[in-house]
Amino acid sequence: MTKVDSPVIFDGHNDVLLKLHMAGGLSATERFLTGRDGAIDAVSAKKGNFGGGFFAVYVPSPVDRKFKMEEIAKSAYDLPLPAPVEWCDALPVVMAQAAILFDLEKRGALCICRSVADIRATLDAGKMAAIFHIEGAEGIDPDLNTLEVLYQAGLRSLGPVWSRSTIFGHGVPFRYPGAPDIGDGLTEHGVRLIKRCDEMGIMVDLSHLNEAGFWDVAKYSTKPLVATHSNAHAICPHSRNLTDRQLAAIKESDGMVGLNFAVAFLRDDGRMLADVPLEQMIRH
């Protein structure tokens, strides 16, 4: 039998930068090269044919993780939205995590890709291709000056919100059962952000955005609609998941959706319990 080479995996979203940031920042990047427990590292990536993906910069909210995990393991839950994060507080965290990404490139662990051609060339060379992504635009000021600087640093993908409000729009809570039709859409700042991202060639990520914001992006953006890590609401009626109408709009725009492996968004019952078969992921 002829051996079939395994496909190169290109991931829609990972939290490597956050994990390294919380593990010590720049002093922890060596562990990415030599191997570490959990998430992605250079050693396991090579074994698993991981070609690269979207490396997310994310500003965490203070959270009681034990309480959160206990709640979302229940048959129904509704966690309140975390409080907004001010720009002056978010920007240092964004800079620190971006610096980790740059350090990983300097160490030869990956290449930060600024174009499709960069991605193809990096994969062809057998190196890890990283797209600089921001999840939640708290680090972007209303005049969008920070956006310009981050673009020059390599930013090519941006989610206007995580599961909390920003000056640009509104996210969805961790709610089951629930729908993404929660609250108002993009603010005036948000509309300007979307239009400027279109002009610059920064992809807008719809994951975590509420439904009104989703339709505002569909209205004001001329680009394909993309949700990097969201599942089907028809299978798992969680507020984080996309309705059939949203999925149809993404298809119509020639966009795409990346499967979210978080089990609470996969299971029919919305519970954060790990016994999820591969067949359930295929259903989504």
Side-chain angles (χ1 to χ4, degrees):
M1 176 180 269
T2 302
K3 180 183 177 182
V4 178
D5 291 335
S6 60
V8 173
I9 304 301
F10 200 81
D11 183 28
H13 182 93
N14 72 60
D15 292 318
V16 165
L17 302 179
L18 171 66
K19 293 179 184 298
L20 292 176
H21 174 68
M22 297 180 71
L26 291 176
S27 64
T29 55
E30 180 67 25
R31 293 167 58 190
F32 184 85
L33 299 174
T34 58
R36 52 190 296 274
D37 292 333
I40 297 164
D41 61 61
V43 177
S44 57
K46 187 173 183 179
K47 291 180 180 178
N49 214 22
F50 179 83
F54 290 72
F55 282 66
V57 167
Y58 161 69
V59 179
S61 285
V63 62
D64 184 338
R65 181 170 175 81
K66 182 175 183 293
F67 169 77
K68 177 182 176 181
M69 297 306 291
E70 288 175 349
E71 286 297 301
I72 58 181
K74 296 178 180 178
S75 58
Y77 48 86
D78 185 3
L79 274 65
L81 285 172
V85 177
E86 296 294 328
W87 178 77
C88 59
D89 296 321
L91 188 59
V93 182
V94 171
M95 294 294 101
Q97 291 187 30
I100 293 171
L101 181 62
F102 304 144
D103 190 59
L104 290 174
E105 182 176 56
K106 182 172 66 177
R107 290 170 176 266
L110 51 78
C111 293
I112 301 171
C113 297
R114 293 166 171 80
S115 67
V116 174
D118 284 353
I119 296 171
R120 289 176 174 157
T122 301
L123 294 177
D124 287 345
K127 298 180 180 179
M128 191 183 300
I131 296 174
F132 180 4
H133 167 75
I134 289 180
E135 179 179 55
E138 287 88 355
I140 309 295
D141 63 287
D143 294 324
L144 307 184
N145 294 325
T146 323
L147 183 70
E148 301 285 344
V149 175
L150 290 168
Y151 176 83
Q152 294 300 324
L155 180 70
R156 292 298 182 270
S157 176
L158 173 71
V161 299
W162 175 70
S163 290
R164 63 190 170 214
S165 297
T166 67
I167 62 171
F168 304 107
H170 308 283
V172 291
F174 290 88
R175 178 183 296 167
Y176 180 91
D181 186 10
I182 300 165
D184 298 328
L186 297 179
T187 65
E188 290 184 10
H189 291 316
V191 173
R192 289 194 299 106
L193 175 68
I194 300 308
K195 291 181 177 180
R196 185 64 184 131
C197 283
D198 270 15
E199 292 169 358
M200 298 172 74
I202 298 175
M203 191 192 82
V204 176
D205 182 11
L206 298 166
S207 295
H208 289 283
L209 193 62
N210 70 354
E211 188 168 1
F214 175 100
W215 293 115
D216 281 344
V217 174
K219 176 181 178 181
Y220 292 109
S221 176
T222 61
K223 305 298 183 181
L225 302 174
V226 177
T228 62
H229 56 303
S230 296
N231 297 339
H233 191 271
I235 296 175
C236 173
H238 196 291
S239 57
R240 265 286 281 114
N241 288 340
L242 297 167
T243 66
D244 283 356
R245 184 166 170 249
Q246 289 175 298
L247 291 170
I250 293 172
K251 177 184 177 182
E252 181 66 24
S253 77
D254 198 27
M256 69 176 298
V257 181
L259 184 69
N260 190 328
F261 284 24
V263 292
F265 312 138
L266 287 169
R267 296 172 58 99
D268 295 42
D269 62 9
R271 302 177 72 186
M272 189 64 87
L273 301 175
D275 56 335
V276 177
L278 180 61
E279 289 76 11
Q280 181 71 358
M281 304 172 81
I282 294 171
R283 286 181 66 205
H284 280 276

